[in-house]
Amino acid sequence: MDALVPLVDASEVIARLRASTGAYDDEPVDILEHCLQCAANLVLTQPDDEELQVAGLVHDLGWLTPKTGGVDVVFDARHDAIGSELVRNALGDRVAHLVGGHIRAKRYLVATDPGYANVLTPRSVETLVFQGGPFDAEDIAQFETDPDRDALLALRRADDAAKVPGADVPDLETWIQIIERVADAARR
Ligand SMILES: [Fe+2]
């Protein structure tokens, strides 16, 4: 992984999302489509939390590394931490925290919800192994102390339900003002 160059503002976030069209991390939809579906799911389940919705929109940008004329998908087990640092300056600490916790939420749910593994795609089951597998008791207890635990779990469930080929969801243009609003709030 090249040195991380953080995104500085809303326009860079939007440009990186736009560049993720046609980039696949071995799921049935491309990363932009997946992120739009994740954010749309959060609008339904968490209608009053724009930061969380925007976190859903950017949660997988850590898979991507820029190259001339577009992006490459880089398979790095730390895509949660990379994505978190990528968006922190532009979108603030809470969005960064939510992005940075989306794999921990998966590891928590695998360990605590007996039906959860059934909703994971084969690719997500495969990545669970190199992401560290289910949480142990200590990690579960630690996760439960997170003040944004419920938001992290909502993001994870929206993420898992966001891999539907051809789903009809609002496009990136719909999100521009919301991204700008969250970025403005992060600067204050
Ligand atoms: Fe995802």
mmCIF file of all heavy atoms in Angstrom, residues 23-44:
data_model
loop_
_atom_site.group_PDB
_atom_site.id
_atom_site.type_symbol
_atom_site.label_atom_id
_atom_site.label_comp_id
_atom_site.label_asym_id
_atom_site.label_seq_id
_atom_site.Cartn_x
_atom_site.Cartn_y
_atom_site.Cartn_z
ATOM 1 N N ALA A 23 -15.208 -0.473 -10.167
ATOM 2 C CA ALA A 23 -14.188 -1.120 -9.331
ATOM 3 C C ALA A 23 -14.873 -2.188 -8.491
ATOM 4 O O ALA A 23 -15.864 -1.913 -7.814
ATOM 5 C CB ALA A 23 -13.515 -0.087 -8.432
ATOM 6 N N TYR A 24 -14.373 -3.404 -8.558
ATOM 7 C CA TYR A 24 -15.012 -4.534 -7.864
ATOM 8 C C TYR A 24 -14.081 -5.114 -6.809
ATOM 9 O O TYR A 24 -12.889 -5.282 -7.056
ATOM 10 C CB TYR A 24 -15.375 -5.640 -8.861
ATOM 11 C CG TYR A 24 -16.549 -5.298 -9.740
ATOM 12 C CD1 TYR A 24 -16.373 -4.535 -10.885
ATOM 13 C CD2 TYR A 24 -17.834 -5.700 -9.402
ATOM 14 C CE1 TYR A 24 -17.453 -4.201 -11.695
ATOM 15 C CE2 TYR A 24 -18.921 -5.375 -10.208
ATOM 16 C CZ TYR A 24 -18.724 -4.628 -11.349
ATOM 17 O OH TYR A 24 -19.793 -4.293 -12.137
ATOM 18 N N ASP A 25 -14.641 -5.447 -5.629
ATOM 19 C CA ASP A 25 -13.857 -6.175 -4.630
ATOM 20 C C ASP A 25 -14.405 -7.605 -4.503
ATOM 21 O O ASP A 25 -14.572 -8.132 -3.416
ATOM 22 C CB ASP A 25 -13.857 -5.449 -3.279
ATOM 23 C CG ASP A 25 -15.250 -5.337 -2.668
ATOM 24 O OD1 ASP A 25 -16.241 -5.559 -3.391
ATOM 25 O OD2 ASP A 25 -15.359 -5.047 -1.465
ATOM 26 N N ASP A 26 -14.694 -8.203 -5.668
ATOM 27 C CA ASP A 26 -15.187 -9.588 -5.742
ATOM 28 C C ASP A 26 -16.597 -9.771 -5.211
ATOM 29 O O ASP A 26 -16.985 -10.853 -4.799
ATOM 30 C CB ASP A 26 -14.238 -10.570 -5.027
ATOM 31 C CG ASP A 26 -13.046 -10.932 -5.887
ATOM 32 O OD1 ASP A 26 -12.968 -10.401 -7.023
ATOM 33 O OD2 ASP A 26 -12.212 -11.727 -5.443
ATOM 34 N N GLU A 27 -17.385 -8.705 -5.173
ATOM 35 C CA GLU A 27 -18.801 -8.803 -4.851
ATOM 36 C C GLU A 27 -19.584 -8.607 -6.154
ATOM 37 O O GLU A 27 -19.021 -8.169 -7.153
ATOM 38 C CB GLU A 27 -19.184 -7.728 -3.822
ATOM 39 C CG GLU A 27 -18.540 -7.897 -2.445
ATOM 40 C CD GLU A 27 -19.193 -8.998 -1.605
ATOM 41 O OE1 GLU A 27 -20.039 -9.745 -2.127
ATOM 42 O OE2 GLU A 27 -18.824 -9.102 -0.419
ATOM 43 N N PRO A 28 -20.900 -8.923 -6.146
ATOM 44 C CA PRO A 28 -21.655 -8.864 -7.409
ATOM 45 C C PRO A 28 -21.955 -7.455 -7.928
ATOM 46 O O PRO A 28 -22.370 -7.296 -9.070
ATOM 47 C CB PRO A 28 -22.966 -9.590 -7.085
ATOM 48 C CG PRO A 28 -23.067 -9.607 -5.610
ATOM 49 C CD PRO A 28 -21.677 -9.528 -5.058
ATOM 50 N N VAL A 29 -21.776 -6.421 -7.105
ATOM 51 C CA VAL A 29 -21.988 -5.044 -7.569
ATOM 52 C C VAL A 29 -20.677 -4.272 -7.406
ATOM 53 O O VAL A 29 -19.831 -4.647 -6.589
ATOM 54 C CB VAL A 29 -23.124 -4.335 -6.783
ATOM 55 C CG1 VAL A 29 -24.456 -5.022 -7.037
ATOM 56 C CG2 VAL A 29 -22.832 -4.289 -5.295
ATOM 57 N N ASP A 30 -20.502 -3.184 -8.200
ATOM 58 C CA ASP A 30 -19.246 -2.429 -8.050
ATOM 59 C C ASP A 30 -19.281 -1.598 -6.764
ATOM 60 O O ASP A 30 -20.320 -1.500 -6.096
ATOM 61 C CB ASP A 30 -18.909 -1.626 -9.311
ATOM 62 C CG ASP A 30 -19.808 -0.419 -9.549
ATOM 63 O OD1 ASP A 30 -20.486 0.042 -8.607
ATOM 64 O OD2 ASP A 30 -19.843 0.065 -10.692
ATOM 65 N N ILE A 31 -18.138 -1.036 -6.418
ATOM 66 C CA ILE A 31 -18.033 -0.394 -5.097
ATOM 67 C C ILE A 31 -18.961 0.808 -4.993
ATOM 68 O O ILE A 31 -19.604 1.014 -3.959
ATOM 69 C CB ILE A 31 -16.555 -0.062 -4.781
ATOM 70 C CG1 ILE A 31 -15.818 -1.389 -4.521
ATOM 71 C CG2 ILE A 31 -16.437 0.870 -3.574
ATOM 72 C CD1 ILE A 31 -14.341 -1.268 -4.250
ATOM 73 N N LEU A 32 -19.101 1.598 -6.055
ATOM 74 C CA LEU A 32 -20.015 2.735 -5.975
ATOM 75 C C LEU A 32 -21.457 2.265 -5.763
ATOM 76 O O LEU A 32 -22.170 2.775 -4.891
ATOM 77 C CB LEU A 32 -19.928 3.609 -7.233
ATOM 78 C CG LEU A 32 -20.896 4.807 -7.213
ATOM 79 C CD1 LEU A 32 -20.627 5.719 -6.017
ATOM 80 C CD2 LEU A 32 -20.821 5.600 -8.510
ATOM 81 N N GLU A 33 -21.872 1.273 -6.533
ATOM 82 C CA GLU A 33 -23.242 0.763 -6.396
ATOM 83 C C GLU A 33 -23.461 0.217 -4.981
ATOM 84 O O GLU A 33 -24.502 0.459 -4.356
ATOM 85 C CB GLU A 33 -23.435 -0.355 -7.426
ATOM 86 C CG GLU A 33 -24.778 -0.360 -8.097
ATOM 87 C CD GLU A 33 -24.855 -1.502 -9.105
ATOM 88 O OE1 GLU A 33 -23.846 -1.764 -9.819
ATOM 89 O OE2 GLU A 33 -25.910 -2.138 -9.160
ATOM 90 N N HIS A 34 -22.493 -0.527 -4.501
ATOM 91 C CA HIS A 34 -22.573 -1.092 -3.153
ATOM 92 C C HIS A 34 -22.707 0.024 -2.110
ATOM 93 O O HIS A 34 -23.550 -0.046 -1.214
ATOM 94 C CB HIS A 34 -21.315 -1.932 -2.905
ATOM 95 C CG HIS A 34 -21.120 -2.343 -1.491
ATOM 96 N ND1 HIS A 34 -22.042 -3.115 -0.806
ATOM 97 C CD2 HIS A 34 -20.114 -2.093 -0.605
ATOM 98 C CE1 HIS A 34 -21.602 -3.313 0.430
ATOM 99 N NE2 HIS A 34 -20.440 -2.706 0.572
ATOM 100 N N CYS A 35 -21.897 1.067 -2.244
ATOM 101 C CA CYS A 35 -21.924 2.167 -1.268
ATOM 102 C C CYS A 35 -23.243 2.945 -1.347
ATOM 103 O O CYS A 35 -23.795 3.346 -0.314
ATOM 104 C CB CYS A 35 -20.721 3.073 -1.487
ATOM 105 S SG CYS A 35 -19.175 2.300 -0.941
ATOM 106 N N LEU A 36 -23.761 3.144 -2.559
ATOM 107 C CA LEU A 36 -25.057 3.833 -2.708
ATOM 108 C C LEU A 36 -26.179 3.004 -2.083
ATOM 109 O O LEU A 36 -27.082 3.539 -1.439
ATOM 110 C CB LEU A 36 -25.351 4.095 -4.190
ATOM 111 C CG LEU A 36 -24.483 5.160 -4.865
ATOM 112 C CD1 LEU A 36 -24.685 5.135 -6.382
ATOM 113 C CD2 LEU A 36 -24.789 6.558 -4.316
ATOM 114 N N GLN A 37 -26.113 1.702 -2.268
ATOM 115 C CA GLN A 37 -27.136 0.835 -1.657
ATOM 116 C C GLN A 37 -27.025 0.854 -0.134
ATOM 117 O O GLN A 37 -28.034 0.900 0.577
ATOM 118 C CB GLN A 37 -26.991 -0.606 -2.163
ATOM 119 C CG GLN A 37 -27.440 -0.801 -3.600
ATOM 120 C CD GLN A 37 -27.374 -2.261 -4.029
ATOM 121 O OE1 GLN A 37 -27.465 -3.178 -3.219
ATOM 122 N NE2 GLN A 37 -27.228 -2.485 -5.321
ATOM 123 N N CYS A 38 -25.805 0.833 0.380
ATOM 124 C CA CYS A 38 -25.590 0.858 1.831
ATOM 125 C C CYS A 38 -26.173 2.152 2.415
ATOM 126 O O CYS A 38 -26.896 2.126 3.417
ATOM 127 C CB CYS A 38 -24.090 0.746 2.119
ATOM 128 S SG CYS A 38 -23.680 0.740 3.868
ATOM 129 N N ALA A 39 -25.865 3.287 1.783
ATOM 130 C CA ALA A 39 -26.372 4.573 2.273
ATOM 131 C C ALA A 39 -27.895 4.630 2.184
ATOM 132 O O ALA A 39 -28.564 5.121 3.100
ATOM 133 C CB ALA A 39 -25.739 5.711 1.475
ATOM 134 N N ALA A 40 -28.457 4.103 1.099
ATOM 135 C CA ALA A 40 -29.920 4.105 0.938
ATOM 136 C C ALA A 40 -30.579 3.247 2.024
ATOM 137 O O ALA A 40 -31.633 3.613 2.564
ATOM 138 C CB ALA A 40 -30.294 3.587 -0.453
ATOM 139 N N ASN A 41 -29.957 2.132 2.361
ATOM 140 C CA ASN A 41 -30.493 1.294 3.442
ATOM 141 C C ASN A 41 -30.503 2.062 4.761
ATOM 142 O O ASN A 41 -31.441 1.955 5.555
ATOM 143 C CB ASN A 41 -29.644 0.019 3.602
ATOM 144 C CG ASN A 41 -29.784 -0.921 2.419
ATOM 145 O OD1 ASN A 41 -30.754 -0.840 1.671
ATOM 146 N ND2 ASN A 41 -28.822 -1.810 2.239
ATOM 147 N N LEU A 42 -29.453 2.862 4.986
ATOM 148 C CA LEU A 42 -29.369 3.632 6.235
ATOM 149 C C LEU A 42 -30.380 4.773 6.278
ATOM 150 O O LEU A 42 -30.845 5.154 7.356
ATOM 151 C CB LEU A 42 -27.937 4.142 6.438
ATOM 152 C CG LEU A 42 -26.963 3.037 6.858
ATOM 153 C CD1 LEU A 42 -25.525 3.463 6.650
ATOM 154 C CD2 LEU A 42 -27.202 2.621 8.314
ATOM 155 N N VAL A 43 -30.727 5.315 5.124
ATOM 156 C CA VAL A 43 -31.782 6.341 5.091
ATOM 157 C C VAL A 43 -33.089 5.733 5.614
ATOM 158 O O VAL A 43 -33.848 6.373 6.347
ATOM 159 C CB VAL A 43 -31.975 6.891 3.664
ATOM 160 C CG1 VAL A 43 -33.228 7.754 3.574
ATOM 161 C CG2 VAL A 43 -30.740 7.687 3.237
ATOM 162 N N LEU A 44 -33.331 4.473 5.283
ATOM 163 C CA LEU A 44 -34.558 3.810 5.737
ATOM 164 C C LEU A 44 -34.498 3.463 7.219
ATOM 165 O O LEU A 44 -35.469 3.655 7.948
ATOM 166 C CB LEU A 44 -34.790 2.526 4.935
ATOM 167 C CG LEU A 44 -35.052 2.715 3.440
ATOM 168 C CD1 LEU A 44 -35.208 1.368 2.745
ATOM 169 C CD2 LEU A 44 -36.314 3.558 3.220
#
